[in-house]
Amino acid sequence: MYPEQLPVSARRQDIAAAIRDHQVVIVAGETGSGKTTQIPKIALDLGRGRDGQIGHTQPRRIAARTVAERIAEELGTTLGETVGYQVRFTDTSGDDTLVKVMTDGILLAQIQRDPMLLGYDTLIIDEAHERSLNIDFILGHLTQLLPRRPDLKVVITSATIDSERFAAHFAGPPSPESPDGTPAPVIQVTGRTFPVDVRYRPLVPDAPHADTALAATGTAPATSARGSGPRLARGRVLADRSARAGGGDTRGEERDVLTAICEAVDELCAEGPGDILVFLAGERDIRDTEEALVGHLGPRVSGAGRAIPVDAVEILPLYARLSSADQHRVFEPHGTRRIVLATNVAETSLTVPGIRYVIDPGTARISRYSKATKVQRLPIEPISQASANQRSGRCGRVADGIAIRLYSEADLGSRPEFTEPEILRTSLASVILQMVAVGVASSPEDVARFPFVDPPDTRAIRDGVQLLTELGALGTAGADDRGERPRTGSRGTDVGHGRLTDVGRALAQLPMDPRLGRMIVEGGRRDVAREVIIIAAALSI
């Protein structure tokens, strides 16, 4: 029942004992160790899922679906029976479902309807290292809920988790032996299925070319943290292709990202069979890279109307906004080598079959909120060390893997160990709205006292409250339940006790930025909801 090749199987007795004896357990281990699929089975063996479902959260819908399919396959059941999943617009779970895999947004919505989470007897919070707003709010809510639900078990897992911080956050009540409380137990799962050879191929010309290590001469990738990402002018791409066609070696020169990816693909294709996973910052970069690879590989790229050569290569995109059918293509059986061009949706909990090689440019789009301009941005920034390890861990699942990083080892060492939690770099308006809707906060002071793992800045809380007040979601002195603000002195009006207006209750049910939600609510009032929804959808991109 437990695959022996997975490192987590060797620790299943320890994990089971910890879950049985403690209310909160932290499981940390390398990506590929089997935590995501095996821990729900361990919980089932302990008899969990009978008094309530085993809730298993994932950060993205594609991960929720594939994890549920994998667990159901290992248990020998049909998806939707013992194991089901729920994402936005799709729910395959039923009354007989014991393990329910869902996105963290689904669990957050259920907290609004059932703050005590009585429908669950076990919660597995997977990929907690992502530290999204949803995850941080769920963890804070659980901190308050656990003393009132002694029957509820919580397992927090991640490959790159800051385990000591989480263990201290979920510490038990103080005692003479431990004034700060006994930290939650941490179980480390060591080892992976197959080893991964990490090679550094930086873009800068003065860095030595080595397979596993570089002298400390590397600099940041050519992609700027503030810039436009790894895009190339069409003429530059054609010039690079001409140089390669003429036999020129570009490795001694400063290279752009697309050139480096094409060269890395050539290097990995020469290593042997196996699919390649390329991480990119966004859809636009995926399209540019696909165009560059089609021009570089030429007739080897298989597609409609083309004869399939022996060394054919199929190129597939993978990102969050793809339809479920298009996302599922990467999991279908195939006979040719595949190059999967993915955003960081493939970084966590998602095992794309056949992947033996990874190419990592070392950048991602990171959401950041500017308090000065009140604008939420998505700049391209270097990823953290933890994210780099997550990416390289995507290979080595079916055989020995190779990960090529398009930056230097010195550059990696200069990066932060973990990605900064989203709650410290984004607008808190949506979180405050959810907290007031659930009833865990009735004033800005309640928000500041809420047990977040990393408490947000007081100024960020003030900005969030002010935005919700301006949108008419929170009641102010003189405001009515419809959220209408007084005509005079509105900007100087003190926030009341966080009273949710009719507008606020409507916004709390819309899974989007409150500003866009406010447009839709007002559009509904004025009988132009359909037109405004189209505009809001465009703005959300």
Side-chain angles (χ1 to χ4, degrees):
M1 184 175 180
Y2 295 94
E4 291 302 323
Q5 69 271 22
L6 293 178
V8 75
S9 298
R11 299 296 307 274
R12 65 180 183 272
Q13 299 297 337
D14 297 333
I15 295 172
I19 295 174
R20 184 180 60 247
D21 299 336
H22 299 85
Q23 194 171 12
V24 180
V25 177
I26 316 294
V27 179
E30 286 192 73
T31 181
S33 59
K35 305 178 304 301
T36 298
T37 55
Q38 304 309 307
I39 289 178
K41 293 158 61 177
I42 294 173
L44 283 173
D45 285 347
L46 287 172
R48 311 300 299 179
R50 274 65 174 180
D51 297 329
Q53 292 178 324
I54 299 172
H56 191 358
T57 69
Q58 295 295 324
R60 297 175 181 85
R61 59 188 175 97
I62 182 174
R65 185 181 68 246
T66 54
V67 167
E69 290 172 347
R70 180 63 180 175
I71 297 173
E73 179 185 342
E74 292 190 9
L75 291 175
T77 65
T78 302
L79 186 64
E81 296 177 355
T82 303
V83 182
Y85 74 92
Q86 183 179 359
V87 297
R88 195 182 301 176
F89 310 126
T90 304
D91 185 1
T92 67
S93 62
D95 294 337
D96 298 330
T97 299
L98 301 182
V99 179
K100 180 179 179 180
V101 188
M102 57 192 154
T103 57
D104 45 34
I106 294 294
L107 182 60
L108 189 63
Q110 291 177 357
I111 289 176
Q112 287 190 37
R113 300 190 297 270
D114 177 20
M116 293 291 290
L117 293 173
L118 297 176
Y120 301 95
D121 71 0
T122 307
L123 286 174
I124 302 170
I125 311 299
D126 199 15
E127 304 304 339
H129 78 278
E130 290 216 352
R131 300 295 304 280
S132 67
L133 283 174
N134 288 349
I135 288 176
D136 270 18
F137 178 74
I138 289 170
L139 294 177
H141 182 71
L142 289 175
T143 304
Q144 294 183 327
L145 176 63
L146 289 173
R148 294 179 287 159
R149 284 283 314 274
D151 59 309
L152 180 64
K153 301 283 189 178
V154 175
V155 181
I156 301 172
T157 77
S158 176
T160 58
I161 201 169
D162 189 355
S163 53
E164 299 304 322
R165 177 186 294 271
F166 279 81
H169 182 75
F170 285 98
S175 64
E177 297 79 14
S178 180
D180 295 328
T182 303
V186 178
I187 298 179
Q188 295 282 350
V189 178
T190 58
R192 63 167 65 251
T193 308
F194 294 97
V196 175
D197 174 24
V198 178
R199 303 177 181 179
Y200 293 90
R201 302 289 186 262
L203 305 179
V204 291
D206 56 338
H209 179 67
D211 281 354
T212 56
L214 292 175
T217 55
T219 59
T223 302
S224 168
R226 300 171 53 89
S228 59
R231 288 184 57 80
L232 287 177
R234 184 171 180 83
R236 177 84 175 274
V237 175
L238 294 177
D240 287 337
R241 292 173 189 164
S242 299
R244 285 191 294 273
D249 183 4
T250 62
R251 284 185 176 170
E253 307 169 359
E254 182 172 352
R255 303 173 297 160
D256 52 65
V257 174
L258 295 186
T259 301
I261 290 175
C262 291
E263 292 176 354
V265 166
D266 290 342
E267 180 179 346
L268 295 175
C269 286
E271 291 288 341
D275 296 342
I276 301 172
L277 174 61
V278 185
F279 283 98
L280 296 160
E283 298 175 42
R284 180 173 168 181
D285 306 309
I286 287 176
R287 289 195 295 270
D288 288 344
T289 304
E290 182 176 12
E291 179 186 359
L293 287 173
V294 168
H296 178 68
L297 298 173
R300 293 175 56 191
V301 178
S302 61
R306 297 194 188 103
I308 301 178
V310 176
D311 57 349
V313 174
E314 182 182 15
I315 301 175
L316 290 180
L318 179 63
Y319 50 88
R321 289 200 319 117
L322 272 179
S323 67
S324 295
D326 287 337
Q327 286 180 342
H328 213 265
R329 287 178 60 198
V330 301
F331 303 102
E332 296 173 352
H334 56 284
T336 59
R337 186 194 297 271
R338 272 183 178 168
I339 300 177
V340 179
L341 309 178
T343 59
N344 56 4
V345 299
E347 193 174 299
T348 56
S349 289
L350 193 66
T351 299
V352 180
I355 296 295
R356 285 194 59 187
Y357 312 110
V358 163
I359 300 174
D360 175 19
T363 57
R365 288 196 178 274
I366 307 294
S367 176
R368 291 201 179 274
Y369 179 71
S370 170
K371 298 183 184 70
T373 62
K374 311 297 183 186
V375 173
Q376 191 81 32
R377 302 177 300 122
L378 277 172
I380 295 177
E381 299 181 0
I383 60 174
S384 66
Q385 297 179 35
S387 291
N389 292 333
Q390 281 283 90
R391 291 182 174 189
S392 61
R394 293 298 98 188
C395 57
R397 298 297 187 92
V398 296
D400 293 358
I402 298 174
I404 292 182
R405 293 172 175 169
L406 304 182
Y407 46 94
S408 70
E409 190 172 19
D411 177 25
L412 178 65
S414 68
R415 300 182 182 191
E417 186 177 1
F418 299 101
T419 304
E420 186 180 21
E422 187 178 4
I423 197 167
L424 301 181
R425 52 180 168 82
T426 192
S427 171
L428 298 183
S430 61
V431 173
I432 296 172
L433 182 64
Q434 296 297 332
M435 293 175 68
V436 177
V438 172
V440 300
S442 59
S443 69
E445 290 74 22
D446 289 343
V447 177
R449 287 192 297 264
F450 189 75
F452 288 113
V453 178
D454 287 286
D457 183 65
T458 303
R459 186 173 58 177
I461 296 174
R462 191 184 307 119
D463 286 347
V465 171
Q466 181 181 345
L467 174 59
L468 292 175
T469 304
E470 292 176 349
L471 294 176
L474 292 182
T476 63
D480 59 20
D481 277 343
R482 288 171 57 84
E484 301 295 341
R485 291 161 42 231
R487 290 181 179 275
T488 59
S490 57
R491 292 189 63 85
T493 302
D494 291 334
V495 175
H497 294 289
R499 180 170 55 88
L500 209 60
T501 64
D502 288 343
V503 168
R505 281 185 281 273
L507 290 179
Q509 298 178 25
L510 296 176
M512 62 181 65
D513 184 290
R515 290 171 294 186
L516 299 180
R518 184 67 178 90
M519 293 168 53
I520 294 174
V521 170
E522 191 65 25
R525 286 183 176 181
R526 301 175 184 272
D527 296 325
V528 290
R530 182 179 182 277
E531 291 80 1
V532 173
I533 285 174
I534 295 172
I535 296 172
L539 290 174
S540 70
I541 297 174

